[in-house]
Amino acid sequence: MAELLKLLKDGNKPSLLAACVNTFLGIIKGVAFFLTGNVAMFAEMMHSLGDAANQLFVYIGSALSKKAPTKQFPGGFGRIVNLVCLFAVIIVAILSYETIKEGWHHFIHPTGESSGILIALGVLFIGIVLEGTVLAKAAAEVLHEAGQEKAGLSTIPKAFSYLNRAKPATKLVFMEDLVATSGNFLAFAAILIAYFTGWGRIEGLVSMIIGAMMFYVVGKVFLDNARGVIGETDEEMLNHIAHIVMDDPNIKDIFRLEVIKEGEFLHVELVAEADPHLSLAFLDDVRDHLTEVILSQKGVSKVAILFDEDDGKTNWVHVNEKPKDTI
């Protein structure tokens, strides 16, 4: 239990914050739906509850993924966060389907004007403020994990450019809260339009749009984490580490280099070619130096280096661009 609590302290903070916020929003939106009968509010209730459950699972998964390797699992537990994300999107997919189904039913068979417009608008306004706050924090975390500085009001737009370099949990929170904030805006607009024009079908239409946006997140997150479970190469870091290795004067060539994403971390396996006349003791010092340098790179948690004698041929062809100053 003590180990679990220690791991939970290191869990992804944006996902925990998002889970708490969405739980609160799901409750007040549910109350508002039962008071008003507004189908757009129903869609937002389902969305918030789905996001809350999803992000809670992600928080727990991100914490467990930091568990140290054991004798039974020497590769560590990094991919747990990917497995948890895959499980979490199933919940969102079910709620997305229910949201679209309810929206379609309301669009085909409108139930008339819903009551309590001020209650619905007030709850959605609270949702916009809270979801927008979480989105801004998630965007700032995306930039932090990518080694970039926050950009004030441009933080959220800037985060899109570095989303692929964010941790799986942070990326999921950013995408879900982007859709959640957009959904709140759409539901807010739908209620106003329905009230002033009398076209009640728009609430059902917006409900289906919100459900479709949720499905987009499901598909995107599923594909990203399916690659993570299988074991995906980080091409950008692979080229960067290749340059680091080839800059060492004692390394003649790279026979094999793998940089595999293990959840939030990177595992590096290197087979380098060196002068066969170098002593074992000297090569051991070279390995220690390279291991230290590679481990200092952002996200790298494990390095394995082997040496082979130089065959006089150039095997490595991936080193084709100058490395960045910081990764």
Side-chain angles (χ1 to χ4, degrees), residues 232-275:
E232 182 182 14
T233 296
D234 188 319
E235 289 287 348
E236 184 177 3
M237 187 61 85
L238 183 142
N239 278 321
H240 178 69
I241 290 177
H243 279 287
I244 291 175
V245 173
M246 293 302 294
D247 282 344
D248 191 303
N250 301 295
I251 302 300
K252 303 299 183 182
D253 195 10
I254 297 175
F255 180 75
R256 181 171 63 87
L257 175 61
E258 294 180 357
V259 182
I260 305 298
K261 294 179 182 179
E262 294 286 346
E264 299 180 356
F265 307 104
L266 298 173
H267 288 187
V268 179
E269 295 184 9
L270 167 69
V271 178
E273 294 185 0
D275 190 330

Side-chain angles (χ1 to χ4, degrees), residues 24-98:
F24 171 72
L25 290 176
I27 292 173
I28 64 172
K29 287 175 181 177
V31 172
F33 167 67
F34 285 115
L35 291 176
T36 65
N38 188 287
V39 72
M41 187 62 66
F42 172 81
E44 277 302 300
M45 176 193 71
M46 297 292 278
H47 191 177
S48 293
L49 292 177
D51 283 353
N54 201 356
Q55 289 153 349
L56 180 62
F57 280 125
V58 170
Y59 169 70
I60 295 172
S62 68
L64 296 179
S65 70
K66 295 178 174 63
K67 180 177 172 62
T70 63
K71 185 176 181 180
Q72 185 176 5
F73 301 100
F77 299 84
R79 299 189 191 186
I80 284 182
V81 67
N82 299 113
L83 289 171
V84 170
C85 286
L86 287 177
F87 176 75
V89 297
I90 296 175
I91 299 175
V92 182
I94 294 172
L95 295 178
S96 302
Y97 168 74
E98 292 295 331

